[in-house]
């Protein structure tokens, strides 16, 4: 579909290129480069990472090389050029991140014709030896500790500060671009020294741009270079950097040992934000959330030290990281259990053109099926509602005849589909099938999204929900979509995990997981648009007990009132998350407008 291979015949063998996320061109949008890779040149590049990436020449403005800094004062001018070439981070044994870094620095105090013409953020100094005497800005602090930066005013700053949701542009005070753990530690200490809020960005796919801070003025620590994926083929434990994208992770685990973890659909999403707040996809009913595969994390905490969090070490932090991880520190490395990538994946898609009464009956049948043992764990199902039709789509891990038997009780309630397709494919192809299947907006678009998780829709809530769908949603002239995933229920892996083993994620009992998404492809999202999705969610929440519903922080809705988001996202886990926050970050430095608040 939107899948493009670039033939890089002009590149010589062995030249460094960057694998750019396929999603830049497809539905998933997103920005950024997934990391350097050695390209063999010519057509070899087009087959490298054939599922998710294409090779493109290294961008000249990329902040792998820290940009030219030009500082002008009334008395001195100085040019500092720092070029950093890195090899991919490789992780050895349990905690060590190693990476080859070559840094060339040129500093001259002579007059220069290169000056940065920035706005208010231009760095100014009167010091003659700035490397040893920071002059009071965060930029100088990072510079004095050799932390690579994307400097305000540079094109790389603009590039890195851009979030997935163009509706919410935020400008950080500074952007650190670390390539080593000591640089992350130094950056955290600089942020504390200059009293800035500190935020990690991994893949930058937060719906509320929380990876940029969710507001202006943060120190953003961009973790994009911590993107290695290494499988230990003896233990089948994978060590993964938070900056790796889901596409890289899936490919690397498969290539290194035909292993997998469970995760979401979009290959451009960062594993960092994804796993620290949930991570749901077409394998989750069978294999759980991404966070269910996490067994250990290395975290740089507020005092700049590295803390290991696991079931046996700092287990309170480990619990909090699995659901609210952005609030406790900067995760620099993660270890995951893996499972064997299934060979036989039945990928299916049945499309229906229902009227309101048929939709109501079908939704009820869907809820009953999800709550029954007729629904096998191996089946993953999404009820995808678009403006014109409903698609019942998903993946079954098993063979075709078992699939047919498993889904037939549900399909028999749905009537004859307008169209259908069922095919059997391997694991990577099944991921690829849903990587950008729903729609294909260009990267520049504004949107608003909301989530909902319900244990059980009462008949009245179901009536109101379906009435809104047909009477209100269908008359909105934008390309919204709404999807309902069969998330919990008696056979779901997600619901089978109880107690502390499940971490802070609080929605394991939710049968349905919904996403509501409305966007415009040109211009700005209309201010009267918010009421549309809010109204749809309200059809349920206004008449249901809050013990029967919640919301999913990975589909962050920045319009939730500040007094409510904590309970909506974390429900029964929220009080404990707040006390752990008070232990690890009492001054609320790892903050965004929807982070866990300390007590
Ligand atoms: C196109 C698209 C498709 C999506 N599909 C799915 C899907 O199928 N299933 C699903 O469950 N979700 C999906 N999501 C939601 C996605 O999982 C979340 O937005 C996720 O948090 C994004 O992670 P990120 O690293 O890309 O984002 P970022 O914006 O970089 O980070 C998100 C949050 O995590 C924090 N964070 C990131 N890295 C670290 C770190 N190293 N240490 C501490 N905190 C960190 C950030 O500070 C921020 O609060 C999708 C999102 C988009 C835009
Ligand atoms: C840093 O914080 C961690 C986690 O709270 C704590 O275990 C450690 O003792 C602290 N180190 C110092 C030097 O304060
Ligand atoms: C389901 O199939 C229809 C018809 O081929 C297609 O338009 C749609 O994108 C598919 N849906 C998904 C979610 O893959
Ligand atoms: C699921 O079934 C149980 C037992 O029949 C029932 O108590 C519960 O209310 C049902 N939940 C849903 C979501 O239908
Ligand atoms: C899920 O339901 C079980 C049984 O009803 C209950 O004990 C548990 O507390 C619920 N979990 C959450 C996170 O609400
Ligand atoms: C539900 O709402 C009530 C009233 O706002 C609140 O006191 C309670 O803490 C909420 N419960 C949960 C689990 O969020």
């Amino acid at each position: 579909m939107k899948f493009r291979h670039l033939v890089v015949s002009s590149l010589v063998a062995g030249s460094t290129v960057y694998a750019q996320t396929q999603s830049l061109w497809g539905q998933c949008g997103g920005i950024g480069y997934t990391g350097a890779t050695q390209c063999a040149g010519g057509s070899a590049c087009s087959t490298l990472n054939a599922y998710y990436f294409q090779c493109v020449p290294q961008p000249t403005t990329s902040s792998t090389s820290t940009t030219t800094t030009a500082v002008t004062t009334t008395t001195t001018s100085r040019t500092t050029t720092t070029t950093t070439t890195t090899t991919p981070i490789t992780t050895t044994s349990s905690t060590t991140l190693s990476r080859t870094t070559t840094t060339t620095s040129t500093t001259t105090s002579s007059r220069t014709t290169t000056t940065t013409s920035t706005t208010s953020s231009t760095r100014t100094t009167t010091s003659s030896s700035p490397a040893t005497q920071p002059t009071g800005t965060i930029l100088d602090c990072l510079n004095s500790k050799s932390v690579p930066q994307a400097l305000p005013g540079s094109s790389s700053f603009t590039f890195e500060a851009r979030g997935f949701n163009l509706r919410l542009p935020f400008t950080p005070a500074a952007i650190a671009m670390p390539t080593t753990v000591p640089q992350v530690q130094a950056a955290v200490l600089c942020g504390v020294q200059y009293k800035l809020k500190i935020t990690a960005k991994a893949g930058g796919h937060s719906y509320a741009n929380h990876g940029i801070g969710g507001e202006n003025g943060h120190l953003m620590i961009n973790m994009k270079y911590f993107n290695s994926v290494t499988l230990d083929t003896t233990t089948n434990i994978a060590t993964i950097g938070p900056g790796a994208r889901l596409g890289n992770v899936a490919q690397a685990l498969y290539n290194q040992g035909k292993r997998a973890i469970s995760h979401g659909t979009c290959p451009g999403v960062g594993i960092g934000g994804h796993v620290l707040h949930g991570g749901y996809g077409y394998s989750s009913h069978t294999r759980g959330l991404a966070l269910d595969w996490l067994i250990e994390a290395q975290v740089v905490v507020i005092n700049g030290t590295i803390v290991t969090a696991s079931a046996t070490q700092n287990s309170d932090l480990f619990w909090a990281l699995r659901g609210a991880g952005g609030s406790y520190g900067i995760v620099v490395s993660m270890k995951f259990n893996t499972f064997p990538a299934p060979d036989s994946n039945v990928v299916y898609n049945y499309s229906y053109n229902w009227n309101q009464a048929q939709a109501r009956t079908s939704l009820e049948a869907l809820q009953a099926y999800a709550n029954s043992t007729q629904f096998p764990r191996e089946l993953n199902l999404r009820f995808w509602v678009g403006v014109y039709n409903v698609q019942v789509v998903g993946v079954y891990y098993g063979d075709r005849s078992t699939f047919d038997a498993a889904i037939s009780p549900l399909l028999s309630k749905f009537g004859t589909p307008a169209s259908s397709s069922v095919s059997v494919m391997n694991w990577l192809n099944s991921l690829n099938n849903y990587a950008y299947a729903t729609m294909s907006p260009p990267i520049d678009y504004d949107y608003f999204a909301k989530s909902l998780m319900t244990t059980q829709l009462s008949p009245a809530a179901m009536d109101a929900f379906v009435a809104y769908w047909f009477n209100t949603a269908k008359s909105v002239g934008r390309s919204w979509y709404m999807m309902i995933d069969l998330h919990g229920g008696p056979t779901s892996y997600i619901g089978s995990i109880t107690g502390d083993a499940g971490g802070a994620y609080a929605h394991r009992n939710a049968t349905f997981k919904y996403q509501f998404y409305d966007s415009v492809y040109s211009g700005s999202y209309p201010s009267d648009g918010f009421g549309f999705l809010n109204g749809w969610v309200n059809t349920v929440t206004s008449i249901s007990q809050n013990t029967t519903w919640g919301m999913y922080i990975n589909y962050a809705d920045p319009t939730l009132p500040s007094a409510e988001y904590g309970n909506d996202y974390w429900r029964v886990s929220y009080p404990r998350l707040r006390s752990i926050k008070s232990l690890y970050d009492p001054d609320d430095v790892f903050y965004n407008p929807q982070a866990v608040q300390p007590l």
Side-chain angles (χ1 to χ4, degrees), residues 27-43:
Q27 172 219 345
C28 297
I31 53 175
Y33 298 88
T34 56
T37 184
Q38 290 294 314
C39 218
S43 58

Side-chain angles (χ1 to χ4, degrees), residues 7-8 90-91 111 122 125 213 301 325 352 358 373 407 420 486 517:
V7 178
V8 284
T90 52
T91 305
R111 305 303 310 176
T122 304
T125 178
V301 294
Y352 298 91
Q358 290 167 319
T373 51
I407 202 167
S420 67
L486 299 199
Y517 197 103

Side-chain angles (χ1 to χ4, degrees), residues 301 303-305 307 314 583-584:
V301 294
N303 63 18
T305 64
V307 170
N314 301 298
L583 288 177
Y584 282 91

Side-chain angles (χ1 to χ4, degrees), residues 14 67 77 100 159 258 324 339 378 455 534 560 593:
T67 36
S77 264
T100 316
F159 181 81
K258 290 207 159 50
F339 58 83
E378 294 72 25
T455 54
N534 284 331
L560 294 177

Side-chain angles (χ1 to χ4, degrees), residues 135-389:
T135 55
T137 75
I138 179 68
L139 306 180
D140 290 315
C141 184
L142 295 170
N143 193 40
S144 73
K145 295 180 181 181
S146 303
V147 179
Q149 302 180 56
L151 286 166
S154 68
S155 57
S156 58
F157 185 96
T158 309
F159 181 81
E160 302 298 346
R162 183 172 153 163
F164 183 82
N165 191 342
L166 299 186
R167 191 170 58 76
L168 303 166
F170 301 122
T171 307
I175 300 179
M177 302 289 297
T179 59
T180 67
V181 173
Q183 288 170 355
V184 176
Q185 297 173 280
V188 167
L189 293 177
C190 282
V192 170
Q193 188 182 344
Y194 288 95
K195 295 190 165 34
L196 293 173
K197 300 298 185 188
I198 304 175
T199 296
K201 179 186 175 193
H205 272 56
S206 165
Y207 283 14
N209 288 346
H210 285 155
I212 325 290
E215 62 179 12
N216 292 332
H218 282 221
L219 166 61
M220 182 220 283
I221 301 184
N222 192 326
M223 299 302 289
K224 69 192 282 186
Y225 297 128
F226 290 71
N227 60 6
S228 68
V229 181
T230 311
L231 178 71
D232 180 329
T233 51
T234 311
T235 59
N236 286 320
I237 289 173
T239 304
I240 302 179
R245 308 300 179 105
L246 302 185
N248 313 44
V249 172
Q251 283 254 129
L253 295 180
Y254 191 82
N255 291 343
Q256 291 176 36
K258 290 207 159 50
R259 306 292 293 187
I261 61 170
S262 188
H263 54 72
T265 51
C266 174
V269 167
I271 189 82
H274 191 68
V275 75
L276 295 174
H277 301 96
Y280 183 91
Y282 283 113
S283 53
S284 292
H285 190 262
T286 313
R287 292 292 195 171
L289 304 162
L291 59 77
D292 290 328
W293 296 87
L294 185 71
I295 54 172
E296 186 185 298
Q298 303 286 324
V299 194
V300 174
V301 294
I302 200 64
N303 63 18
T305 64
I306 304 167
V307 170
T308 300
S310 71
T312 52
Q313 295 181 72
N314 301 298
S315 55
D316 55 347
L317 179 61
F318 184 57
W319 179 85
L321 290 179
R322 288 172 297 147
S327 298
Y328 296 88
I330 311 292
V331 173
V332 294
S333 179
M334 304 183 282
K335 282 189 192 302
F336 292 85
N337 276 329
T338 60
F339 58 83
D343 285 333
S344 179
N345 303 263
V346 181
V347 172
Y348 63 92
N349 178 341
Y350 301 90
S351 171
Y352 298 91
N353 301 314
W354 290 320
N355 61 29
Q356 184 173 340
Q358 290 167 319
R360 173 67 176 77
T361 309
S362 298
L363 190 61
E364 186 155 351
L366 189 73
Q367 182 168 267
Y369 182 71
N371 191 34
S372 78
T373 51
Q374 286 185 313
F375 179 33
R377 178 168 289 185
E378 294 72 25
L379 183 59
N380 295 266
L381 192 144
R382 171 168 289 173
F383 191 84
W384 193 94
V385 177
V387 181
Y388 303 109
N389 65 7

Side-chain angles (χ1 to χ4, degrees), residues 165 167-168 206-210 447-452 516 530 533-535 537 549 551-562 564-566 568-569 592-594:
N165 191 342
R167 191 170 58 76
L168 303 166
S206 165
Y207 283 14
N209 288 346
H210 285 155
Y447 66 93
F448 176 53
K450 292 181 79 70
S451 68
L452 182 65
F516 303 81
F530 300 99
L533 296 187
N534 284 331
V537 170
W549 64 271
M551 292 181 178
Y552 179 43
I553 177 79
N554 260 348
Y555 300 155
D557 170 5
T559 70
L560 294 177
S562 60
E564 288 173 21
Y565 72 80
D568 292 347
Y569 290 145
N592 68 53
Q594 297 194 330

Side-chain angles (χ1 to χ4, degrees), residues 114-147:
T114 313
T115 51
T116 335
S117 53
T118 65
T119 53
S120 55
S121 331
T122 304
R123 182 156 62 122
T124 311
T125 178
T126 53
S127 168
S128 56
S129 50
T132 52
Q133 290 175 25
T135 55
T137 75
I138 179 68
L139 306 180
D140 290 315
C141 184
L142 295 170
N143 193 40
S144 73
K145 295 180 181 181
S146 303
V147 179

